[in-house]
Amino acid sequence: MACAKVPLDELHVTEPFGPQGKERTLPALHPDRKEERCFLSYKPPPEDGTAALLEEFLENAQFISEDLEWLLALPHDKFWCQVVFDESLQRCLDSYLRHAPRGLDPSGLSSSPAVADMQRNIHRSVFMVFLRMATHKESKENFITPAVFAEIIYNNYLFDIPKILDVCVLFGKGNSQLLHKMIENIFTQQPSYYADLNETIPSISQVFDTILQMCGIQSEDTGTGQPLKLNANKCQTAMTMPEEELADLLLYMCDTCTTIHSFLDIFPEACSTFKEHNFLNRLSSFYEMAVPDLEKAVKKRNFNKSLQEDMWRRISHSRKKMVEIAHLLLQHTCLQPILEGTESMASCVDDLLQNFTAFLQEKRLIMSKFLSKVMVVHVIYDSQDDTRTSYLLQGVESAWECVGKKRSFPSSANHSAGAKSKTVCTVSAGELESLLCHIRDLLPDLGEGFILACLEEYGYNSELVINNVLEDKLSPSLDKLDRAMLPSVLSTRSNAFDDDEFDVFNRDQLDMSRIWKGRRQRESVRATLDDKQHIEEQRERYQAYQTVVDEIPIENDPSRDRDNAFGTYDYDDEYDDTYDVNQIGNEAVKKDHFVQDPAVLRERAEARRAAMQSRKGYRPPPASHVVGGPRGRGQMQDTVLDRRRKEANKSRGANHNRRTMADRKRNKGMIPS
């Protein structure tokens, strides 16, 4: 077999061949060394959850799971022979990337625990296969030459840009570090993927233009150079397009935005490539033009409730992902070099301010996140272009007012002045957590306790906190604190008596007249016992129970005289007024019938039970003929069948199952062993 420390692409192996077992020497990576095995294509779990479809899914998924486990157990050389030369394996992996349920997709996983377990097994196995395919060196003995590895994965289409995007979407949750190393190794060993990504981004941008066109909105910059058609204004809009078409459109937009965000979040090195295509401006323009019309269509049109909820969930998810995409692009192409103080700091500041200037036309796009970036640039690069940053701050404030929210932002003139006064501001737990996350994103070295102290000092104004930290203009009380300080135990404690009148941790003043040690002063035991105030407080409550009426008057019945003005309500614990057969207009209930004849009550109950069973279509069981006739004269067929049925079912009751019930009680610990 193979010698140690020889790359797979240079390795040769000697194996028996043919019916006579003659030996031959082949390259370790050769088509003849591939095992004959047919990998099935993946099918998603059924949504309706019928038994036949679930059984079909489980059977197909079981074959796929076993085949992938077999593949992962192969040695290094056999694994790569199967991966490179087995087309059915690639079809299986491609089918999973295409049809596996995404985060917002409806799936049949909740219909059966077995289906959920099987889906998890396949999901893990597919991820492990892709992870192994992206590794050119498994150990000191098992490795491939990097240049040959780059040719193998690129020329055999083991990875391409669409596959990498799908892998990020499906496996990004909880595996971001592993995926980053995996994709980084792919792009490092084969730089041609950067060229492929460069060619793919215009197609991604075309998706936004297609959505705008389907909504009847003309893009300002389509990049196609084609003239506008004469009938372009007559196309359908989001308010008029068919219901299924609108649902597919939102699904298309949601999937695109989620995919781009997952890829950039896992592999931020690609942000520079997106920047070269002016992707951020295209995204902000699409957000401004398409999102309001789609939101209006989902809100105003009459859809099925479940469909409307699904569409609104998808458009909200898309809006969130577009905001986060813009944040990632600014963070990694402009803001990060500024914070790190690289040589390209001046150009990055100019690019960032230029982007912000363009965003002023897009009123709806993440004002708060953009504002924080403007503040950081204003602090670091204030001396270069104070007029421009002030203009941006005013534009952001105007944009908030245009979308119906009014906020006032600090200007360069009052940054230092704002630090001199401490504003008392109460925020909810969710808002406080948002402020903490906002500051930690930009200043990750600060401890949570220090950030909380700064927020309290500056009236929970996160922009002012960031400004004063970066300019080193903190108040003396904050400057003495440890910047890595954690929150105190009292600030994170939870107690049943929080915020009550005696909570000394949250109240500056207490009513000391309600606090004493030992027996209360100037109050004797006799005075305490004579204090009947609590009785007076309860008197009004019990006055409602002082009037007792034994008989209830029947109103609005002129046919009755004064002597019959009261009727007696007879109590009947088996009475069910749901199936009341009494008719309106009967004679008054006779008096002195407090205890009625039990036989009459049983007859009434039986009549009600029979009426209820007849409504439900219940048929009483036929009469039993177990007794039969005298011996020696033969029995009727009904008697024979009833006796056989009784013999088969007699263990269900009486004392025929004593041993079974005794064992059951003993197993539960009711009877000592």
Side-chain angles (χ1 to χ4, degrees):
M1 292 297 291
C3 297
K5 297 184 179 180
V6 178
L8 181 63
D9 49 282
E10 299 177 5
L11 186 65
H12 288 73
V13 295
T14 302
E15 295 179 343
F17 175 74
Q20 297 180 357
K22 294 183 178 181
E23 293 186 348
R24 66 171 179 174
T25 302
L26 294 173
L29 199 60
H30 193 274
D32 291 347
R33 302 194 67 222
K34 173 180 70 71
E35 298 289 340
E36 294 298 331
R37 199 176 188 96
C38 181
F39 289 81
L40 300 178
S41 296
Y42 171 82
K43 296 180 181 178
E47 297 181 11
D48 52 4
T50 58
L53 294 177
L54 289 178
E55 183 178 359
E56 180 183 358
F57 167 79
L58 290 174
E59 182 180 5
N60 185 75
Q62 183 66 31
F63 285 123
I64 297 176
S65 179
E66 293 175 356
D67 289 342
L68 293 178
E69 291 294 335
W70 169 84
L71 176 67
L72 291 170
L74 291 177
H76 185 251
D77 56 338
K78 287 285 189 178
F79 172 82
W80 278 101
C81 288
Q82 207 72 29
V83 165
V84 174
F85 303 114
D86 193 341
E87 296 181 357
S88 66
L89 171 60
Q90 296 304 319
R91 287 195 296 268
C92 174
L93 296 176
D94 291 346
S95 64
Y96 186 82
L97 295 181
R98 186 180 304 114
H99 299 297
R102 267 63 171 172
L104 294 179
D105 292 344
S107 63
L109 299 181
S110 60
S111 59
S112 171
V115 173
D117 292 339
M118 183 61 67
Q119 177 65 25
R120 280 193 293 267
N121 292 336
I122 296 179
H123 190 78
R124 177 187 175 278
S125 299
V126 172
F127 176 61
M128 295 303 296
V129 170
F130 277 113
L131 195 62
R132 193 174 182 186
M133 286 167 52
T135 306
H136 70 282
K137 184 177 182 180
E138 294 186 0
S139 64
K140 294 181 179 180
E141 293 78 18
N142 300 320
F143 64 96
I144 305 175
T145 305
V148 178
F149 170 78
E151 294 180 0
I152 290 175
I153 63 174
Y154 192 78
N155 296 336
N156 293 280
Y157 297 96
L158 301 186
F159 289 99
D160 52 30
I161 298 301
K163 282 185 180 180
I164 293 174
L165 295 176
D166 286 334
V167 166
C168 290
V169 172
L170 289 174
F171 306 106
K173 187 177 182 180
N175 303 301
S176 57
Q177 294 182 354
L178 277 176
L179 278 177
H180 179 265
K181 292 181 179 179
M182 165 183 161
I183 298 175
E184 185 180 31
N185 187 56
I186 293 173
F187 277 80
T188 302
Q189 303 301 332
Q190 181 53 276
S192 298
Y193 284 109
Y194 279 107
D196 292 350
L197 178 62
N198 191 57
E199 296 177 358
T200 304
I201 294 177
S203 300
I204 298 176
S205 300
Q206 185 62 35
V207 171
F208 296 144
D209 295 333
T210 302
I211 295 175
L212 291 174
Q213 184 179 1
M214 296 179 66
C215 295
I217 303 173
Q218 178 63 28
S219 175
E220 297 178 357
D221 181 18
T222 60
T224 59
Q226 298 294 332
L228 184 65
K229 297 181 180 180
L230 294 177
N231 59 349
N233 294 328
K234 298 181 180 179
C235 61
Q236 60 187 5
T237 64
M239 293 294 295
T240 60
M241 70 173 58
E243 179 179 304
E244 296 181 358
E245 190 172 339
L246 179 60
D248 292 340
L249 182 68
L250 293 177
L251 175 62
Y252 188 34
M253 180 179 68
C254 181
D255 183 66
T256 302
C257 297
T258 305
T259 302
I260 299 172
H261 173 265
S262 300
F263 176 63
L264 294 179
D265 187 40
I266 293 172
F267 189 60
E269 291 86 345
C271 290
S272 58
T273 308
F274 278 79
K275 177 186 176 183
E276 294 174 359
H277 290 266
N278 200 24
F279 186 81
L280 187 56
N281 289 336
R282 297 290 297 274
L283 178 67
S284 61
S285 177
F286 172 80
Y287 188 99
E288 182 72 18
M289 290 190 292
V291 170
D293 284 2
L294 292 174
E295 287 182 341
K296 180 180 178 181
V298 174
K299 289 180 180 179
K300 299 296 183 181
R301 295 181 59 177
N302 294 325
F303 296 111
N304 180 284
K305 184 177 181 181
S306 60
L307 177 62
Q308 188 175 27
E309 291 177 354
D310 180 71
M311 289 193 295
W312 182 254
R313 185 166 58 251
R314 290 188 183 278
I315 194 172
S316 300
H317 187 76
S318 303
R319 187 176 60 229
K320 177 184 177 183
K321 293 304 174 185
M322 282 188 277
V323 168
E324 293 176 352
I325 290 170
H327 178 64
L328 287 172
L329 291 174
L330 287 175
Q331 177 75 22
H332 295 288
T333 60
C334 299
L335 188 60
Q336 197 66 32
I338 297 174
L339 295 176
E340 294 175 356
T342 59
E343 297 179 357
S344 60
M345 177 178 173
S347 61
C348 290
V349 169
D350 188 68
D351 290 343
L352 184 59
L353 294 178
Q354 186 175 358
N355 283 321
F356 285 144
T357 304
F359 289 152
L360 293 181
Q361 300 177 5
E362 323 297 344
K363 304 296 184 183
R364 294 174 172 83
L365 193 59
I366 51 173
M367 300 303 171
S368 59
K369 286 185 178 291
F370 287 168
L371 175 65
S372 64
K373 310 301 183 297
V374 175
M375 292 300 301
V376 173
V377 176
H378 181 72
V379 170
I380 298 177
Y381 226 68
D382 182 72
S383 59
Q384 183 185 23
D385 199 350
D386 179 69
T387 304
R388 191 175 186 182
T389 51
S390 300
Y391 165 73
L392 289 175
L393 288 174
Q394 295 175 2
V396 171
E397 185 174 358
S398 175
W400 276 96
E401 294 177 355
C402 289
V403 297
K405 299 180 180 180
K406 186 175 182 180
R407 293 182 60 175
S408 59
F409 306 114
S411 61
S412 58
N414 59 9
H415 281 170
S416 59
K420 298 180 180 178
S421 61
K422 180 178 178 181
T423 306
V424 178
C425 180
T426 303
V427 296
S428 64
E431 293 173 340
L432 182 60
E433 183 64 25
S434 177
L435 293 174
L436 289 173
C437 294
H438 180 198
I439 298 176
R440 280 199 299 257
D441 287 343
L442 298 174
L443 304 171
D445 297 333
L446 299 182
E448 184 175 339
F450 180 76
I451 298 176
L452 287 172
C454 292
L455 287 172
E456 184 178 357
E457 179 72 19
Y458 297 115
Y460 297 90
N461 189 327
S462 59
E463 288 79 16
L464 195 56
V465 171
I466 295 171
N467 171 62
N468 290 331
V469 169
L470 293 176
E471 283 191 343
D472 200 13
K473 293 182 179 179
L474 293 174
S475 61
S477 60
L478 295 176
D479 205 21
K480 297 178 182 179
L481 298 178
D482 181 10
R483 299 203 174 192
M485 181 178 65
L486 298 175
S488 64
V489 178
L490 293 178
S491 64
T492 58
R493 90 197 209 288
S494 179
N495 193 280
F497 303 102
D498 284 348
D499 298 323
D500 66 3
E501 58 179 326
F502 302 114
D503 189 356
V504 296
F505 300 110
N506 294 325
R507 291 181 178 271
D508 297 331
Q509 296 180 354
L510 299 178
D511 185 4
M512 301 304 296
S513 63
R514 294 179 51 80
I515 302 176
W516 61 86
K517 182 178 179 180
R519 181 185 297 176
R520 191 171 184 178
Q521 298 178 357
R522 300 184 302 276
E523 184 172 334
S524 62
V525 177
R526 175 61 60 186
T528 303
L529 295 176
D530 292 341
D531 185 5
K532 306 300 182 182
Q533 182 179 359
H534 63 285
I535 299 178
E536 297 295 332
E537 294 175 354
Q538 298 294 332
R539 185 182 305 278
E540 183 178 355
R541 176 181 178 184
Y542 288 98
Q543 282 181 350
Y545 301 99
Q546 68 181 2
T547 304
V548 179
V549 179
D550 294 331
E551 295 178 335
I552 302 175
I554 302 177
E555 301 177 356
N556 300 327
D557 193 351
S559 61
R560 287 178 169 82
D561 54 13
R562 181 177 178 82
D563 295 336
N564 293 330
F566 292 89
T568 303
Y569 278 75
D570 296 331
Y571 173 76
D572 183 6
D573 59 347
E574 293 186 8
Y575 183 78
D576 186 1
D577 60 354
T578 306
Y579 306 101
D580 196 346
V581 298
N582 293 331
Q583 299 179 1
I584 299 175
N586 293 346
E587 296 181 359
V589 180
K590 296 181 179 180
K591 300 166 62 175
D592 299 333
H593 282 179
F594 180 75
V595 179
Q596 296 187 1
D597 187 0
V600 176
L601 295 177
R602 285 195 294 270
E603 291 178 0
R604 293 179 181 176
E606 185 63 30
R608 289 193 299 272
R609 191 178 299 109
M612 179 180 64
Q613 292 175 351
S614 64
R615 292 188 184 96
K616 295 183 178 180
Y618 173 77
R619 294 183 178 181
S624 177
H625 303 85
V626 178
V627 178
R631 295 184 177 180
R633 299 183 182 180
Q635 302 295 337
M636 298 178 61
Q637 183 68 20
D638 294 342
T639 303
V640 175
L641 294 177
D642 288 348
R643 288 179 177 178
R644 186 181 302 169
R645 188 180 300 108
K646 178 182 178 182
E647 181 67 23
N649 299 322
K650 68 181 182 180
S651 63
R652 293 173 54 190
N655 292 325
H656 297 282
N657 57 346
R658 293 190 303 271
R659 181 175 298 175
T660 302
M661 297 304 296
D663 292 341
R664 181 179 178 185
K665 291 180 179 180
R666 186 176 292 106
N667 292 335
K668 292 186 176 182
M670 299 180 181
I671 302 176
S673 301

